[in-house]
Amino acid sequence: MLTVAVWFWTLIGLVGFAYVGYPILLAALVRVARRPVQTGDVAPAVTLLIPAYNEEHSLAAKLDSCVALDYPRDRLQVIVLSDGSTDGTNAIAARYAQHGIELIAFEHNRGKLAALRDGVARARGEVVVFSDAASRLAPDALRRLVRPFADPAVGCVSGVYKVLRAEAARLGAEEGFYWAYETFIKSRESDLGSILGAHGSLYAIRRALCPDLSRIRTNDDYEIPVKIVAAGHRAVYAPDAVACEEAAEMGGFARRVRIAVGNWRQLRLLGLLLWPPRPWLLFTFVAHKLLRLLGPFCLAAAFAVNLFLPGPLFRITLAAQAVFYALALAAAGRRSPLATFRPLRLLRLPFYFCMINAAYVVGLIRLLATPGRVRWNAPRSESD
């Protein structure tokens, strides 16, 4: 029974470290090993690329936020990349030509990465900024985003992703909590060296460091930063460069499944960190990415093992797991008191946690069944 107990605590420990221990470790290490980034009031020439496919419902708000950006107009190029849109996307983008916003309307839908590749080829700025059509930029977002480029070691900078009107979506509050949690982790990773993934809502790279986008096979907002870091540059976080998205844009479980498919695809990048050896980056990849993907399998195995462990301690751990999953099930219904009674909303976190882990399983199944490339209907801001 000792061996079985060791397995149980190992499985629980892996999940606990991924979600709790790792953030605590980062917070402790930052106190003794911070690597400050040199920032400055720089204003490099910037090209802002906005890929869009049938985004008539959100594009006007996005372009309004671009017009309101506090950035020198003679140093800012904004391009909408309409990838074979069949709705009013092109007409909306064309109205903003008077504000200097360019439209490249591709005749056929070829995929987001193909559109970005052509956009980078047309870019004049030394810094290229990628931003999803559904997100809105704060007026000072670009100024704050480019400040870390004053440091020559920095090759990529990610802005922060915030949820607007969380109450407008069933899981909006939980999404907001989750992204605040992610922001904490990414900020600490940035302080210690580099992040391994940006937010698709807003991130920037030095154009000279842009990898060959025709060879990207996962989410662009993860693979591009990883390749820049693997080449010896830093990817850092700018938590004061804000891009916002309405909670109503979030699609619940279906969205999480699409995110999970992208996360599983990202495992192919592990080789970039194995050789030449990059121990710390490899550790952050495993702790922040791999352990989460393995989480649902660890949890299922821990529950099964717990059934065969005798003694009062293991009866308590079994009961704790049963209560946790019961809360998740109770919150699943749209008319559940946990969903409708605001003082009980905190008890919905078990449901959100279980939903994410269930999405990892479904995402793996979907990836194995349809191992094609990422499609345009993938969600925004999908790097965890």
Side-chain angles (χ1 to χ4, degrees):
M1 282 298 174
L2 179 60
T3 302
V4 178
V6 169
W7 271 108
F8 171 77
W9 289 117
T10 298
L11 292 166
I12 292 295
L14 289 173
V15 178
F17 179 76
Y19 287 97
V20 180
Y22 179 58
I24 292 175
L25 176 63
L26 292 177
L29 289 176
V30 162
R31 293 179 175 272
V32 296
R34 183 189 295 267
R35 291 179 58 193
V37 174
Q38 175 186 338
T39 61
D41 290 323
V42 296
V46 168
T47 295
L48 172 59
L49 299 180
I50 305 170
Y53 174 63
N54 290 348
E55 295 282 0
E56 65 178 6
H57 65 291
S58 57
L59 186 60
K62 172 56 173 245
L63 297 183
D64 284 339
S65 75
C66 292
V67 171
L69 285 170
D70 175 23
Y71 203 83
R73 290 292 139 184
D74 60 339
R75 303 191 66 76
L76 176 60
Q77 177 190 24
V78 181
I79 306 177
V80 176
L81 305 168
S82 179
D83 190 35
S85 296
T86 56
D87 63 356
T89 294
N90 295 348
I92 293 171
R95 294 204 301 264
Y96 287 81
Q98 60 182 317
H99 298 289
I101 294 177
E102 303 173 35
L103 168 65
I104 302 179
F106 301 104
E107 183 177 358
H108 303 292
N109 176 245
R110 301 171 301 151
K112 180 180 180 182
L113 287 166
L116 289 179
R117 185 174 66 244
D118 288 347
V120 170
R122 295 278 292 271
R124 298 191 297 268
E126 63 181 281
V127 169
V128 176
V129 176
F130 304 97
S131 187
D132 292 330
S135 65
R136 283 176 262 170
L137 306 181
D140 61 352
L142 276 193
R143 281 195 177 275
R144 295 183 180 277
L145 187 69
V146 301
R147 282 176 57 82
F149 285 116
D151 191 329
V154 172
C156 175
V157 182
S158 175
V160 69
Y161 170 67
K162 291 190 176 180
V163 179
L164 290 176
R165 296 195 303 161
E167 71 282 356
R170 180 172 176 246
L171 294 175
E174 289 74 19
E175 283 279 357
F177 175 85
Y178 178 80
W179 285 108
Y181 167 79
E182 278 294 301
T183 295
F184 174 84
I185 293 176
K186 285 182 176 292
S187 294
R188 304 290 92 71
E189 289 175 338
S190 176
D191 289 340
L192 292 168
S194 288
I195 57 175
L196 290 178
H199 291 313
S201 56
L202 179 65
Y203 73 104
I205 65 171
R206 295 188 192 273
R207 181 160 59 96
L209 301 180
C210 186
D212 182 357
L213 298 186
S214 66
R215 301 179 66 85
I216 300 292
R217 294 294 182 270
T218 64
N219 313 80
D220 64 277
D221 53 359
Y222 197 86
E223 187 162 349
I224 291 175
V226 167
K227 289 190 171 182
I228 288 175
V229 170
H233 310 279
R234 289 184 70 178
V236 300
Y237 207 48
D240 53 356
V242 178
C244 302
E245 188 169 341
E246 293 282 350
E249 292 283 346
M250 300 171 183
F253 185 69
R255 175 177 179 270
R256 295 306 314 188
V257 169
R258 292 192 295 266
I259 291 174
V261 171
N263 288 345
W264 282 109
R265 289 179 186 275
Q266 290 159 14
L267 294 184
R268 66 184 292 273
L269 302 175
L270 190 61
L272 295 176
L273 307 178
L274 287 172
W275 193 262
R278 297 175 176 84
W280 174 250
L281 293 175
L282 179 61
F283 172 73
T284 61
F285 187 95
V286 170
H288 197 168
K289 183 68 58 178
L290 180 58
L291 289 184
R292 290 193 189 184
L293 292 173
L294 297 179
F297 307 101
C298 291
L299 290 170
F303 189 84
V305 168
N306 202 165
L307 295 172
F308 299 96
L309 289 170
L313 174 60
F314 292 110
R315 285 196 290 272
I316 292 173
T317 57
L318 184 61
Q321 291 176 83
V323 169
F324 185 85
Y325 296 130
L327 284 172
L329 287 174
R334 290 184 176 272
R335 297 183 180 180
S336 164
L338 296 184
T340 57
F341 188 45
R342 189 169 296 276
L344 298 179
R345 290 294 292 269
L346 185 63
L347 298 180
R348 287 174 53 82
L349 290 178
F351 168 71
Y352 189 77
F353 177 82
C354 290
M355 182 190 72
I356 289 176
N357 280 275
Y360 288 147
V361 177
V362 176
L364 177 59
I365 294 171
R366 181 171 296 180
L367 177 62
L368 295 176
T370 56
R373 297 184 63 173
V374 177
R375 295 180 58 85
W376 249 110
N377 63 353
R380 291 95 171 175
S381 308
E382 60 185 18
S383 280
D384 288 349

